[in-house]
Amino acid sequence: MNDPQNPSLAAIVQRASAERVFNFSPGPATLPTEVLQQAAEEMLSWRGTGVSVMEMSHRSKEFESIHQQALDDLRELLQVPKSFRILFLQGGAIGENAIVPLNLIRRASAEKPKADFVITGTWSVKTEQETRRYGDVHIAASSKEQRYVRIPDVSAWNLSGDASYVHLCTNETIVGVEFQQVPDIGQAHGRVVVADASSHILSRPIDWDRVQVVYAGAQKNIGPAGVTIVIVREDLLGFAHPLCPSAFNWRIVNEHNSMYNTPPTYAIYIAGLVFQWLKRQGGVQGIEQRNIAKAKALYDFLDQSAFYRNEIDPSCRSRMNVPFFLADESRNDAFLAGARANGLLQLKGHKSVGGMRASIYNAMPFEGVAALIDYMREFERSAA
Ligand SMILES: *Cc1c(COP(=O)(O)O)cnc(C)c1O
């Protein structure tokens, strides 16, 4: 039975589970070990069917049930109102940078397509540049001059009256700023707010009175790369450019309940397992409390230290992505090597920012943050 040359699947899963480290990758990012264990157990035969989820027809009743459960759970977790549709697409958030204008930038005027942007970091810049291919872009506010350390105050946003929508990146993964709430900028009077929530979706509730379109690639807070979530108010489905590819036309995708083309079935299945896991954590409210505690522990540690620093204004520090610097940058390599040796992976900062970055998404347990702080304290002490 326990032949070491031929271990059972259960033994393999057990051994691999014991090898797991704390992975601070910005994305693709850590997933709950429980979810991966369940996926491993169901890998070869999903619930007695004799086939893996990745081998099923997307039209089979088995996959239909996986798909529908994932949609229902996501709707419940985010309290998505009935007037909004949830779409599972492909193409990632960078794909959406084109797909959003293709679907929406002609809403206010097909002749003069236009969108407003609030620039808060690297990702909103990238989105704005892509949008320029499809219409006029008006920069309503930007914190570039402040090196993105704080989100421009809404009282200074210069919104135009004739834009089809206002685009925000509600968590800037690279620079580490996050909207603590989306401001009320007159959606009641017909303004449409589009939010790229790729790196914090499901980490906190969404106020559906203040955003009308939310999109997110899955690989930060949801599951594996390959599925893109788009949540869109139903009345915004009919404005696509005639040349918008059918598979990216929100109205067409919605009419087929996200089955117009073959959806990324395995990614949807894993996302569904993550949604179930989130429900067991007390839903979004439960995980939000954990995220607050994790972020507070790390920022408090950074703030009391002269050895490390975070430069972001405390009012808009991201709970998900925490960039930090060593006062003595010549120690960066030693810091990263020591972290790796302690089972703390992927802490190197984005090349455009430098320094370090700890991404502490939903699936990062508090113990991971505590282990990071312990390591940082020890590294500081040993460097003294
Ligand atoms: C990661 C990320 C993206 C890019 O996602 P892709 O899946 O690579 O297209 C876009 N926006 C934000 C906020 C991100 O964090």
Side-chain angles (χ1 to χ4, degrees):
M1 284 298 285
N2 277 328
D3 175 3
Q5 298 301 314
N6 190 13
S8 69
L9 187 57
I12 293 170
V13 171
Q14 195 182 11
R15 190 177 64 206
S17 300
E19 281 174 16
R20 285 178 61 76
V21 295
F22 292 121
N23 173 10
F24 296 91
S25 169
T30 192
L31 286 168
T33 298
E34 270 172 71
V35 163
L36 297 175
Q37 286 167 337
Q38 184 178 346
E41 280 158 20
E42 296 179 340
M43 170 75 86
L44 281 80
S45 169
W46 184 79
R47 303 195 188 165
T49 54
V51 297
S52 161
V53 172
M54 55 187 118
E55 302 167 305
M56 283 176 189
S57 164
H58 59 297
R59 310 262 177 227
S60 64
K61 69 174 190 322
E62 289 83 7
F63 186 74
E64 290 259 10
S65 75
I66 292 170
H67 185 249
Q68 196 56 48
Q69 187 72 50
L71 285 168
D72 292 347
D73 286 341
L74 181 56
R75 187 173 285 278
E76 179 185 329
L77 283 163
L78 282 175
Q79 300 280 298
V80 180
K82 281 206 179 62
S83 55
F84 284 70
R85 305 298 306 158
I86 302 178
L87 311 177
F88 291 153
L89 281 94
Q90 302 188 51
I94 294 180
E96 282 305 313
N97 287 349
I99 296 167
V100 169
L102 276 166
N103 277 278
L104 208 56
I105 201 166
R106 291 154 50 101
R107 183 185 74 93
S109 161
E111 290 73 41
K112 292 187 115 179
K114 181 175 178 185
D116 279 4
F117 271 77
V118 178
I119 302 295
T120 50
T122 324
W123 282 115
S124 38
V125 168
K126 201 164 178 116
T127 306
E128 171 250 311
Q129 285 168 352
E130 183 80 7
T131 306
R132 286 179 189 278
R133 306 177 61 190
Y134 301 96
D136 285 343
V137 165
H138 166 70
I139 307 296
S142 170
S143 53
K144 182 164 189 271
E145 296 285 295
Q146 290 77 41
R147 291 171 43 251
Y148 304 124
V149 295
R150 82 178 60 84
I151 292 169
D153 192 78
V154 65
S155 61
W157 294 9
N158 170 28
L159 297 168
S160 45
D162 56 350
S164 293
Y165 60 90
V166 182
H167 186 279
L168 312 175
C169 177
T170 43
N171 185 62
E172 288 277 4
T173 322
I174 293 174
V175 301
V177 301
E178 180 174 16
F179 282 82
Q180 300 307 317
Q181 60 175 24
V182 173
D184 182 357
I185 54 170
Q187 293 93 326
H189 308 292
R191 258 198 186 110
V192 167
V193 172
V194 176
D196 176 357
S198 292
S199 49
H200 74 160
I201 190 168
L202 287 165
S203 70
R204 53 164 73 221
I206 293 176
D207 183 345
W208 296 104
D209 290 331
R210 296 187 177 194
V211 289
Q212 287 68 45
V213 180
V214 170
Y215 64 91
Q219 70 272 21
K220 277 84 185 230
N221 236 347
I222 293 178
V227 58
T228 314
I229 311 286
V230 176
I231 308 178
V232 49
R233 205 176 62 194
E234 202 154 22
D235 63 292
L236 301 174
L237 291 172
F239 299 101
H241 190 283
L243 292 178
C244 178
S246 311
F248 296 141
N249 182 314
W250 294 340
R251 179 182 57 74
I252 294 174
V253 174
N254 177 53
E255 280 166 7
H256 292 80
N257 195 26
S258 300
M259 294 269 196
Y260 173 75
N261 55 342
T262 310
T265 53
Y266 200 75
I268 291 171
Y269 157 72
I270 300 283
L273 297 185
V274 172
F275 300 155
Q276 296 266 322
W277 174 83
L278 266 176
K279 286 168 76 173
R280 296 196 296 276
Q281 313 306 306
V284 170
Q285 281 72 21
I287 207 79
E288 182 182 32
Q289 292 313 311
R290 269 173 43 181
N291 289 333
I292 290 170
K294 283 164 10 191
K296 180 174 188 322
L298 187 48
Y299 285 116
D300 282 354
F301 174 74
L302 289 166
D303 287 346
Q304 59 75 46
S305 166
F307 192 83
Y308 304 101
R309 72 176 190 286
N310 166 277
E311 298 183 337
I312 305 302
D313 190 279
S315 68
C316 41
R317 284 171 164 176
S318 171
R319 291 177 187 162
M320 299 282 103
N321 307 98
V322 183
F324 62 91
F325 299 90
L326 275 60
D328 175 2
E329 297 232 283
S330 73
R331 295 183 192 273
N332 283 359
D333 288 344
F335 178 88
L336 288 166
R340 269 195 303 278
N342 281 274
L344 307 166
L345 264 55
Q346 302 269 356
L347 285 161
K348 193 175 164 77
H350 190 271
K351 60 183 184 303
S352 66
V353 175
M356 309 296 156
R357 171 175 47 166
S359 294
I360 52 175
Y361 298 120
N362 284 350
M364 174 60 66
F366 189 87
E367 298 78 69
V369 175
L372 173 61
I373 293 170
D374 282 349
Y375 166 69
M376 290 170 71
R377 189 179 284 120
E378 183 53 31
F379 186 82
E380 176 175 352
R381 201 192 54 73
S382 69

